[in-house]
Amino acid sequence: MTARKAVKPLRSVAIFAAVGALVAAVALPAYAASKPAEASTTVQQLAAVDAQSLVVASQATAAPLNRGTFTATTPEEIEKKKAEAAAAARAAAASPATANFNTAGYALVSPGSGEVRYPLPPGSYTEGRTIGGGHNGVDMLAPALTPIYATAAGVVRASAESIGGYGVCVMIDSVVGGQQVQSTYGHMTYGSRQVEEGQTVSAGQLIGYVGSTGSSTANHLHFEVWINGGIVEPYSWLAANAG
């Protein structure tokens, strides 16, 4: 009788222990399974946020860059546009561009009369830049020591080995067709002047030789023509009067 009474409490303890183990086996895996799902969702959300930030950054860098007056998408394109603009400016400065000048009234005498002569022999020079941008004459490109002639009869106003940026220079005052004409011949070779201040010269008289003195970087004649105190385009003036 005593043995049976002792077995019943032990059986009850065993039953409660088995029920507890069963509850733990069911509840704990379910709880554990719910936690990774939340962590997985959080990682996906972060990835989505990162992906959106990358899209925004990509869109921002697609806008063109602006550097002064040049608009381009890369530094190389900006430099290319600058180089093209500089080349266009150099080409405009180097071209004769006589068509830009109003030559009405340039003809003072009949062309071919001999009253007006070309300052360099025909075929001995190439036309360089003309007046504009602070340049008051034309650059007649010719080899060193090419002879220079007075374009019209007159009196030598100035003749010196150095006259400012002209270097070795001769200036002549003339009257052509009843108008006061001043001609200037700059950048001559040192020691080549053939006339002196106050001397009377005739049209076509030798006055010096081509050089590269003063503000010059190559052999050429800098030739200017002024009529009644106003500057004129020399190439057009020579064509209208010398023929």
Side-chain angles (χ1 to χ4, degrees), residues 30-45:
Y31 175 77
S34 67
K35 300 303 287 183
E38 293 178 359
S40 175
T41 301
T42 302
V43 170
Q44 292 174 355
Q45 291 174 343

Side-chain angles (χ1 to χ4, degrees), residues 31-230:
Y31 175 77
S34 67
K35 300 303 287 183
E38 293 178 359
S40 175
T41 301
T42 302
V43 170
Q44 292 174 355
Q45 291 174 343
L46 290 175
V49 171
D50 290 341
Q52 290 173 358
S53 66
L54 290 174
V55 171
V56 172
S58 176
Q59 292 172 346
T61 56
L65 301 175
N66 190 306
R67 297 290 186 271
T69 58
F70 302 97
T71 302
T73 56
T74 66
E76 291 76 12
E77 291 180 358
I78 294 172
E79 292 304 320
K80 180 179 179 181
K81 288 182 179 293
K82 288 182 179 180
E84 290 173 351
R90 288 194 299 270
S95 63
T98 56
N100 295 331
F101 298 92
N102 181 3
T103 58
Y106 271 26
L108 304 180
V109 296
S110 299
S113 66
E115 291 188 56
V116 174
R117 308 283 186 88
Y118 280 87
L120 296 180
S124 67
Y125 65 92
T126 300
E127 291 186 359
R129 65 173 177 164
T130 185
I131 62 175
H135 190 250
N136 292 330
V138 295
D139 290 342
M140 306 177 79
L141 312 178
L145 302 180
T146 299
I148 302 171
Y149 305 107
T151 194
V155 177
V156 178
R157 170 188 287 193
S159 177
E161 289 292 286
S162 179
I163 301 180
Y166 295 114
V168 181
C169 180
V170 170
M171 298 178 179
I172 300 175
D173 289 335
S174 307
V175 176
V176 179
Q179 307 299 313
Q180 298 291 327
V181 176
Q182 178 187 332
S183 53
T184 299
Y185 314 77
H187 307 318
M188 293 182 180
T189 296
Y190 286 118
S192 70
R193 291 176 297 115
Q194 303 296 304
V195 294
E196 297 296 336
E197 182 177 340
Q199 181 178 339
T200 299
V201 297
S202 59
Q205 180 175 331
L206 179 67
I207 60 174
Y209 294 88
V210 169
S212 182
T213 56
S215 299
S216 171
T217 58
N219 291 311
H220 70 281
L221 169 65
H222 175 86
F223 179 62
E224 295 181 11
V225 177
W226 299 71
I227 299 178
N228 297 324

